[in-house]
Amino acid sequence: MSDRLSLHLRRTLILGLPLVGSQLAQILIGLTDTLMLGRYSVAALAASTLSTSFFFAMFVLGSGFAVACMPMAAIALARDDEVRVRRIARMGLWLSLATGLAMAPLMIFSEPILLALGQRASVAADAQSYLRVAGFGMIPALLTATFRSHLSALERTRIVLVATLVAAGLNIALNWLLIFGNLGFPEMGLRGAALASVAVHVLTTLVLALYATRGPDMARFDLLRNIHRPDWPAFGEIFRLGWPIGLTHLSESGLFTGSALMMGWLGTVPLAAHGVAIQIAALTFMVHLGLSSAATVRVGRAWGMGDAGALRRAAIAAGLLSGIVVALSLVMYLGFGEWIVSNFVDPTDPDAAAILTLGTHLLVLAALFQLVDAGQVMALGFLRGVQDTRRPMIYAIVSYWVLGIPASYLLGFPLGLGPDGIWLGLVVGLAAATVALMTRFVRITRPDLATSRS
């Protein structure tokens, strides 16, 4: 048993480390936006916090179809069905393109939506200015997610890491040129950061598409063959599996977007401090997300082969690795919080001291909520590996919206805890999701795989 578990730990690491690296590089793009806009102005930082939360909420809703391709392709590979792998990727690209087009109006007319959600007029106007440019990146972002799922299912994760690292470097360079107007470029501030993001999404899509079609040993999948031809059974299966994933993602991101909106009611300084702290917390969350994706592939392969023992060992291995990351992040948040937050704020800004104090304090709370955040994302990865998405969607919606959001509001405002209360509400929602989802996975995989499929 211990030898087999060690094997699963090694294989999860081999598959998962590049995915973790790519997730960290992806969040690095958001972190550099926050760092550089924080140096530009507090108003730009506040608008960026709001607009990127809005964009991310739309992205995670639309990315459900891309994520659905991963366990489907992993199961098809376990059964040596390469034709089905190609058809899954092709229909995933179709659905991602259609979803990106459908979301364009929400980006163009985001200001009325943000005003209706109680945001200040100046912040809402700046956020719409960002989103009207950044919205052009939605389609390539969703296509990238589909290629990433396809390549991850094939366990070709190194190229995903390389592409994301290149994109992160490009984002830093373009931000430096376009936000601040260096080397003779126009000083565009917030809109410059949005334009840089679009360029990054397009580049990443092109790199992954090139590898998926021309990379080593990739020609056998012939990914672009009959790209124009629909495969309605595969289309329908991806749709049925993907829309609950998208709504699950949206319910979770909505929890964090809702917290950002409530912070906005408290003022620009709390919103800016929240934006800094949530970006830092997201850094460690991306490690868990990468491990969760690896778990989806490993669990999916075991599910496709009908091996209940391998399925459980794959889940245990991924959970152990995630637990190690939790312990390391606790040390980081509690021991170095003030120094970390200080890197995100211009010390000459009049509000810098207030943002630093509140942001450091919020990181202490992040040490608590990231434990349950890791638990729920790992459980979701396990369940997607066995293609269980609808019940987890219900659990997520109840946990985040029926429990989490009301708890944040109640603790933050009627009970007067302010920013602390809003973040403690996050803990409530995430803890409920962790318990429900882990219980679901244990229940449907016991006592054996045959029973769970009946």
Side-chain angles (χ1 to χ4, degrees), residues 6-28:
S6 297
L7 175 63
H8 278 279
L9 284 167
R10 287 195 299 271
R11 296 196 64 177
T12 301
L13 277 173
I14 292 170
L15 174 61
L17 283 178
L19 289 174
V20 168
S22 67
Q23 294 291 354
L24 289 173
Q26 185 65 45
I27 200 64
L28 179 62

Side-chain angles (χ1 to χ4, degrees), residues 69 77 85 189 197:
C69 294
L77 277 176
V85 172
S197 296

Side-chain angles (χ1 to χ4, degrees), residues 37-75:
L37 287 170
R39 298 283 178 175
Y40 188 73
S41 74
V42 171
L45 176 60
S48 173
T49 298
L50 193 61
S51 56
T52 53
S53 295
F54 189 96
F55 183 95
F56 183 72
M58 294 297 99
F59 170 77
V60 296
L61 174 62
S63 67
F65 304 121
V67 175
C69 294
M70 189 186 302
M72 290 176 62
I75 291 171

Side-chain angles (χ1 to χ4, degrees), residues 33-112:
D33 283 350
T34 302
L35 278 167
M36 299 175 88
L37 287 170
R39 298 283 178 175
Y40 188 73
S41 74
V42 171
L45 176 60
S48 173
T49 298
L50 193 61
S51 56
T52 53
S53 295
F54 189 96
F55 183 95
F56 183 72
M58 294 297 99
F59 170 77
V60 296
L61 174 62
S63 67
F65 304 121
V67 175
C69 294
M70 189 186 302
M72 290 176 62
I75 291 171
L77 277 176
R79 297 170 180 171
D80 295 321
D81 191 346
E82 294 183 358
V83 173
R84 178 166 168 78
V85 172
R86 177 176 67 247
R87 291 175 177 175
I88 289 168
R90 187 171 75 230
M91 291 299 97
L93 292 170
W94 273 42
L95 279 162
S96 293
L97 175 62
T99 304
L101 290 171
M103 288 179 173
L106 296 174
M107 302 293 173
I108 296 171
F109 303 107
S110 54
E111 183 178 3

Side-chain angles (χ1 to χ4, degrees), residues 182-265:
N182 289 309
L183 298 183
F185 281 78
E187 182 181 339
M188 300 176 66
L190 194 63
R191 289 172 65 86
L195 186 59
S197 296
V198 174
V200 163
H201 289 310
V202 171
L203 173 68
T204 309
T205 301
L206 292 175
V207 170
L208 294 183
L210 183 63
Y211 186 92
T213 54
R214 302 295 180 88
D217 198 34
M218 297 300 292
R220 63 192 176 98
F221 294 100
D222 201 7
L223 193 60
L224 297 182
R225 182 181 179 185
N226 297 324
I227 189 67
H228 62 285
R229 184 179 300 172
D231 186 317
W232 296 122
F235 185 97
E237 189 175 349
I238 295 170
F239 184 84
R240 287 190 296 273
L241 188 63
W243 71 260
I245 294 175
L247 286 179
T248 301
H249 283 168
L250 182 63
S251 66
E252 181 186 2
S253 68
L255 178 67
F256 291 96
T257 300
S259 69
L261 291 170
M262 284 186 272
M263 284 291 186
W265 299 343

